[in-house]
Amino acid sequence: MIVPINIKTGTLIQSEIPNQQDIIVGIDLGTTNSLIAYINPQDNLPTIITDEEGNNGLVPSILHFTDNSNWIVGNDARPYLISHPQTTLYSIKRLMGKSYRDIAEHNQLFSYQIIDDDTERLVKIRVNNRFYTPIELSALLLKALKERAETTLQTTISKAVITVPAYFNDAQRQATRDAGKLAGLDVLRIINEPTAAALAYGIGTASDTNTSETIAVYDLGGGTFDVSILRIEEGVFEVLATNGDTFLGGDDIDRAIVQYWITQCPDLGINKSMYRELRLRAEQAKKYVSDNHSTYSHVTQIFEFGTAIILALNPDELRQILLPFIERTLTCCRQALSDAQLTTTEVDKVIMVGGATRTPLIRQKVSELFGKPVYNELNPDEVVALGAAVQADILAGNQRDMLLLDITPLSLGIETMGGLMDVIVPRNSKIPIRAARQYTTQRDGQSGINIAIYQGERDLVKDNRCLGEFVLRGIPAMPAGLPKVEISFTIDADGITRVRATELRSGVAQQIEVKPQYGLSEEEMSQMLLESVRHAQTDRDTRALQEAINEANTLADTADHFIVRHADMLSTDEINLTRDHIAALRQSLSSNDKDLIHTYIETLNTHTRPFAERVMDAAVAMAMKGKQALSNDILE
Ligand code: AMP
C-alpha cells in the first residue's frame, strides 16, 4: 500500500489513506462449506477471500475441538471427522434454531452428541464436558472466516452480510444474526441465498436494465436441495415461493453409488471403515464421470480378505443412478412454480447454485424443464458468497440502494376470545411490514391483557404454533370495552418480528421480539399449510361457532349488567323476562349449534332494544336539562 506523507511536516496524511475499515464482507455460512467475499476495490468485482497463500476459497464448515478451549476450523479440522467423531462437528447449520424434537428422526446423521435438555428447548451439543449452542458453534466458524479475511486483506473486519436459505424462519434468522454478533460482526443484513445468487449475476442491480423479471434459483449442494422463485421489479426482490428437500444432495448420490457397488458384490462384508472408503471413492467417481464423461475405475484392497476389487462407474451407470434424484428435485421445482402460480415459460432466468449442479445431466434436465439454458458461468460453490458481497457493497452505499423484499411464509397473529386466531400479518405478506389492529378489554377495571402470538393458518390457536407470550400491564381502570389496545407487528427486512401492545388512551406499552422456542423445518411448514387446506371447512365451522359463542357471552354479560344498573327504569316483568331470555341464550351455548345461538342472540337483542332506547332518551332529556349524564358508558 502507498501511504501519502505530508512532505512539509513529515506526517501521514490520514484522510487520504483508503478507509479499509469500511470493507463490508459477504458471508455464505453453508451446511458443508462456507465462504467469505468482498468487492475488490481494484476492479470493483466481487471476489472470494482465499487464505494467505491464495488457496482454498471454500472453508469446510467443520469444527474440531482439540480440548475445551482450543479448536480448529475448516480443512484442518476435516481429518478429525473420522478419527475423533465426538469432538468434530459438522452440519451445524441444520441445528440452528432447532429443538431436539425437530431433529430427532435425523439424529443418527450426527456423530457428535446432541443433547435433549428438558429445560432448554433448543438443542445443545456436548463436546467433552462442555455444552455449546449451535449459535456459539456457528460463531466460531464465522470468527474463523473473519480472521481469514483480516489476515488476507490486512485490515479489521467488523461488518458483514450473511446469507440464509429463503425458507429459514424467524428463529433461524435470529440465530444466524446472533452468531454473527458473537463472532464480533455487526450483521448489517441477513439475505436469502437465492437473492444473493441473483445479485452475483448482476440481476436486479443498477446495471441491469430489465424492470421486471422472474427467476428460478436451483440450489443442489452436498446435503440439501432448495428451489426458489423470485420476482425482481425495479431492484426489489420478492420471494414468490420456495420448495426443496433438506435431506437431498450430492452426498445422497454418493451413497447411492456405494449402494450400487455393494449390490454388484453381494458377498462383500462391509464394515464401517470400508464403507467410508467406498463413500470417498464414490464421490471421486461421480466427479470424474461428470467432468470427463468417461468411465472411472479404481482398484481397492479389502484388507480382511486380502483381495482387491475394482470400483468402476461408467456414464450410463451414473445416469441411471442420478435420474431418480433429479426427478425429485424437478418435482420440487414444479411445486414451487405452482405455489407461485407460474408456468415454466413465465420464468425468465434459471440460476444454478451448489457444487452438485456441475453434473451436466442435472443442468440438462433443469434446462429442459424450464425450456431455456441455465446460468452456470459463475462457480456454483461461490455464487452465493459473491452475491452477498454485492449486497454488502450496496449497503456500503457504493451502488444504488435496493430494497430486498421477502414474504412471510406463514400468517402471524394473536389469540382472541375463545382461542381463536386473529391474523394480523397474513401469509405471503411482503416484508418489511408493519401491521396493527385494535382490541379492548373484556372486564371492568381490567389492568392487564395477555398477548399470545401465533404463527399458522388454522382458525384455532391450539392448531397453530405459539411464538411467544407477554402481558401488557398497568392499564388504568376503565369500564370493559373502553381501553384501546393496539397490537402491532413489525417485521424488518431480516424477517425479525417485534410485537408491541399499546393502550392508546394511557400510552402504556410493552414490546417483545419474537424468538420462537424452537425452529420449524420446511417440511413442517408445508405440513402446516397442507393441514390448513385439509381442515378448511371444519375450521370455518369451528370459527363461526366460536364467534357466535363469543357474541352470545358478551351480549348476555352486557344485558345482565344493564338490568342491574337500570333496574329503576324497568318493570319487574321486564326484568324477569330479560333474565329468562339471558338464561335461554346461555342454555343455547351447549347446543353447539351456531344458528340456534344466533336465533337466541336476535331474540334477546330484539327484547332489550326498546329498553336501551328508553335509557338513552332519559339520558338525553337529563342532559338537555343541563344535568349530568346518567351513565358514562352509555354516552361514550
Ligand atoms: P456444496 O455443498 O454446494 O459445496 O456442494 C458440494 C456437492 O457438490 C458435493 O456433493 C460434491 O460431491 C458435489 N460436487 C462438487 N464438484 C462436483 C463435480 N465436478 N461433479 C459433480 N458433483 C460435484
Side-chain angles (χ1 to χ4, degrees):
M1 181 172 40
I2 300 166
V3 179
I5 295 176
N6 182 326
I7 40 175
K8 278 190 196 150
T9 60
T11 53
L12 295 179
I13 304 172
Q14 292 291 344
S15 61
E16 289 181 29
I17 299 173
N19 190 0
Q20 295 233 15
Q21 301 271 24
D22 278 339
I23 287 182
I24 308 175
V25 289
I27 298 178
D28 170 9
L29 183 61
T31 310
T32 325
N33 293 302
S34 297
L35 295 100
I36 184 163
Y38 78 125
I39 300 290
N40 189 336
Q42 321 248 286
D43 54 11
N44 263 334
L45 289 176
T47 310
I48 297 292
I49 304 174
T50 55
D51 62 12
E52 270 180 299
E53 285 84 46
N55 308 313
N56 294 330
L58 286 182
V59 179
S61 307
I62 305 171
L63 201 58
H64 168 66
F65 284 84
T66 45
D67 58 48
N68 270 349
S69 44
N70 291 297
W71 59 87
I72 46 178
V73 171
N75 277 318
D76 295 341
R78 192 194 282 284
Y80 297 95
L81 276 175
I82 292 171
S83 61
H84 295 72
Q86 297 262 325
T87 49
T88 309
L89 315 179
Y90 56 91
S91 287
I92 296 159
K93 187 171 174 178
R94 290 189 188 280
L95 305 174
M96 291 289 263
K98 298 274 172 136
S99 74
Y100 185 77
R101 209 193 62 189
D102 293 327
I103 52 122
E105 69 181 287
H106 302 295
N107 196 13
Q108 76 284 356
L109 291 174
F110 301 93
S111 59
Y112 46 89
Q113 210 179 345
I114 300 173
I115 304 296
D116 176 18
D117 177 346
D118 249 1
T119 57
E120 280 289 342
R121 300 187 71 187
L122 292 175
V123 292
K124 286 202 167 176
I125 294 101
R126 185 182 177 146
V127 185
N128 299 323
N129 52 0
R130 277 198 59 181
F131 295 89
Y132 297 88
T133 62
I135 294 176
E136 289 169 303
L137 299 170
S138 297
L140 297 180
L141 293 175
L142 287 169
K143 221 170 167 176
L145 292 166
K146 174 178 176 309
E147 281 164 11
R148 156 184 285 233
E150 288 177 336
T151 312
T152 305
L153 303 181
Q154 290 288 299
T155 184
T156 314
I157 302 288
S158 62
K159 295 186 175 114
V161 167
I162 306 179
T163 60
V164 294
Y167 61 79
F168 253 29
N169 65 12
D170 292 348
Q172 293 165 303
R173 284 166 198 267
Q174 184 62 45
T176 308
R177 184 175 271 279
D178 289 347
K181 216 182 287 172
L182 212 57
L185 289 167
D186 180 8
V187 182
L188 300 184
R189 192 162 289 188
I190 298 283
I191 67 163
N192 287 325
E193 288 162 9
T195 299
L199 286 172
Y201 277 102
I203 299 169
T205 57
S207 51
D208 181 40
T209 49
N210 267 345
T211 52
S212 169
E213 54 190 343
T214 304
I215 63 162
V217 180
Y218 178 103
D219 181 350
L220 187 62
T224 59
F225 170 67
D226 302 314
V227 57
S228 309
I229 312 291
L230 308 182
R231 171 159 303 141
I232 304 151
E233 226 153 30
E234 292 173 356
V236 176
F237 284 67
E238 185 184 347
V239 180
L240 299 181
T242 67
N243 207 290
D245 188 331
T246 40
F247 289 91
L248 172 63
D251 298 350
D252 298 283
I253 298 167
D254 303 343
R255 275 192 282 270
I257 295 171
V258 172
Q259 214 46 51
Y260 173 69
W261 282 337
I262 291 174
T263 47
Q264 284 198 318
C265 311
D267 300 332
L268 209 62
I270 298 289
N271 62 25
K272 241 182 166 174
S273 76
M274 176 74 190
Y275 189 83
R276 266 196 297 267
E277 155 91 9
L278 290 179
R279 275 283 306 275
L280 288 175
R281 295 289 168 211
E283 184 178 14
Q284 227 171 48
K286 171 186 75 177
K287 288 184 182 173
Y288 182 87
V289 180
S290 283
D291 296 346
N292 303 294
H293 199 72
S294 58
T295 299
Y296 169 92
S297 144
H298 176 86
V299 180
T300 193
Q301 288 285 335
I302 305 176
F303 299 107
E304 280 97 314
F305 304 101
T307 50
I309 54 165
I310 298 173
L311 300 173
L313 189 71
N314 69 38
D316 195 49
E317 286 166 324
L318 178 62
R319 182 188 167 84
Q320 293 312 320
I321 290 169
L322 283 170
L323 283 174
F325 288 104
I326 300 176
E327 190 43 45
R328 276 168 68 190
T329 68
L330 298 185
T331 304
C332 294
C333 294
R334 290 185 198 103
Q335 187 57 49
L337 283 168
S338 128
D339 287 350
Q341 299 184 335
L342 291 172
T343 59
T344 49
T345 50
E346 289 171 290
V347 174
D348 301 305
K349 290 170 180 163
V350 183
I351 298 177
M352 302 302 262
V353 178
T357 62
R358 287 201 179 86
T359 299
L361 184 66
I362 294 180
R363 295 208 294 260
Q364 181 201 323
K365 291 288 176 191
V366 175
S367 170
E368 277 170 17
L369 174 73
F370 287 96
K372 50 189 66 73
V374 295
Y375 277 57
N376 66 323
E377 300 78 19
L378 292 174
N379 181 333
D381 288 320
E382 296 180 349
V383 58
V384 169
L386 294 174
V390 173
Q391 173 61 29
D393 200 43
I394 293 166
L395 292 176
N398 297 336
Q399 292 191 28
R400 181 168 68 94
D401 202 357
M402 299 185 309
L403 185 67
L404 297 185
L405 211 75
D406 288 322
I407 53 162
T408 52
L410 293 167
S411 300
L412 293 165
I414 62 162
E415 175 176 5
T416 55
M417 248 208 301
L420 287 179
M421 170 87 174
D422 203 21
V423 171
I424 296 183
V425 182
R427 166 175 139 73
N428 282 343
S429 296
K430 289 175 187 172
I431 57 171
I433 189 176
R434 182 183 182 278
R437 185 165 298 165
Q438 279 186 20
Y439 299 86
T440 190
T441 48
Q442 271 174 277
R443 283 178 284 106
D444 287 343
Q446 190 175 331
S447 64
I449 291 190
N450 190 50
I451 292 136
I453 302 141
Y454 283 85
Q455 181 180 41
E457 306 313 307
R458 303 287 300 276
D459 282 88
L460 292 182
V461 291
K462 72 173 176 54
D463 299 318
N464 289 331
R465 189 162 166 270
C466 185
L467 295 184
E469 220 170 313
F470 69 103
V471 183
L472 174 67
R473 294 182 207 283
I475 302 173
M478 282 182 255
L482 205 57
K484 284 186 184 170
V485 180
E486 185 192 78
I487 312 281
S488 69
F489 278 62
T490 310
I491 310 177
D492 69 15
D494 298 338
I496 310 290
T497 306
R498 286 176 194 87
V499 183
R500 188 178 174 83
T502 315
E503 200 291 300
L504 298 173
R505 292 179 193 276
S506 59
V508 175
Q510 184 85 33
Q511 168 172 314
I512 62 162
E513 197 169 281
V514 181
K515 281 190 188 177
Q517 291 277 25
Y518 55 88
L520 185 66
S521 68
E522 205 186 352
E523 299 97 274
E524 279 174 305
M525 197 177 84
S526 316
Q527 192 59 31
M528 283 171 80
L529 293 176
L530 208 69
E531 295 271 299
S532 73
V533 175
R534 199 174 290 150
H535 297 284
Q537 186 56 47
T538 45
D539 271 11
R540 254 198 305 276
D541 295 345
T542 315
R543 173 180 280 277
L545 174 64
Q546 189 56 53
E547 281 174 349
I549 293 173
N550 290 349
E551 193 183 336
N553 276 325
T554 310
L555 179 65
D557 289 350
T558 312
D560 260 343
H561 192 71
F562 184 89
I563 52 175
V564 171
R565 206 176 175 115
H566 303 293
D568 55 335
M569 300 180 75
L570 302 168
S571 71
T572 314
D573 276 355
E574 283 172 336
I575 292 176
N576 285 340
L577 197 56
T578 309
R579 287 216 168 100
D580 289 348
H581 283 307
I582 295 171
L585 174 59
R586 290 209 165 107
Q587 180 81 38
S588 74
L589 298 186
S590 55
S591 69
N592 279 344
D593 177 345
K594 87 169 173 4
D595 294 333
L596 186 72
I597 298 170
H598 275 301
T599 311
Y600 282 95
I601 289 175
E602 200 40 49
T603 310
L604 180 56
N605 263 330
T606 313
H607 174 73
T608 53
R609 201 166 293 126
F611 307 157
E613 281 163 11
R614 195 184 304 165
V615 172
M616 202 62 138
D617 291 345
V620 172
M622 292 278 269
M624 298 272 281
K625 279 189 206 159
K627 296 204 174 157
Q628 210 191 356
L630 256 182
S631 134
N632 286 334
D633 57 349
I634 292 171
L635 287 183
E636 240 327 307

